[in-house]
Amino acid sequence: MSKMRIFTIGFTKKSAEEFFTKLCTAGVKRVIDARLKNTSHLAGFAKRDDLRYFLRAVCNMDYVEMPDLAPTAEMVDQYKKQKGEWSEYERQFLELISERKIDETISRELLDGACLLCSEDEPDHCHRRLLAEYLSEKWGGVEIIHIV
């Protein structure tokens, strides 16, 4: 079996031109929206409905919304608003996706060549990296490519 690829990207600190060019150039097949709040006015060009349109029009790419890949509001608030520890957020999020059995409920075919989207500019302290690493560990044979 050939190695599957999972890409990740965050839209923060990127212009629309830079964001869509990076996705198209990388060869991404579809964007998997793993955000908790994907209709916020802070999302700019990356609001759910606009993003769906732009991905199709600019990159001929599919858009799939998957809220089960997002952390809970409580987890995000504790980490961001209350300045919680990354290690605690990471532990809680990995426990959550394990409980949700994402490795069993999400199709490998859907994620092969797909790009996990969230808002964080860099993957270091972001749930999209944790998702990709978790799936790689569970499935094996996964190449993770962070688009920054």
Side-chain angles (χ1 to χ4, degrees), residues 19-83:
F19 177 81
F20 292 107
T21 299
K22 286 177 180 275
L23 286 172
C24 294
T25 302
V28 171
K29 293 180 185 175
R30 73 190 53 81
V31 169
I32 307 290
D33 194 335
R35 295 176 291 169
L36 182 63
K37 296 179 181 176
N38 61 8
T39 58
S40 166
H41 70 283
L42 298 176
F45 67 84
K47 282 190 272 191
R48 179 191 60 210
D49 297 338
D50 293 337
L51 186 59
R52 179 181 289 117
Y53 169 78
F54 289 134
L55 286 168
R56 175 63 56 207
V58 175
C59 301
N60 194 30
M61 198 176 291
D62 292 331
Y63 170 87
V64 180
E65 184 178 15
M66 299 195 83
D68 280 353
L69 300 182
T72 65
E74 295 79 23
M75 289 171 60
V76 174
D77 287 348
Q78 183 180 13
Y79 175 61
K80 293 201 174 212
K81 291 180 181 173
Q82 298 173 24
K83 308 288 187 213

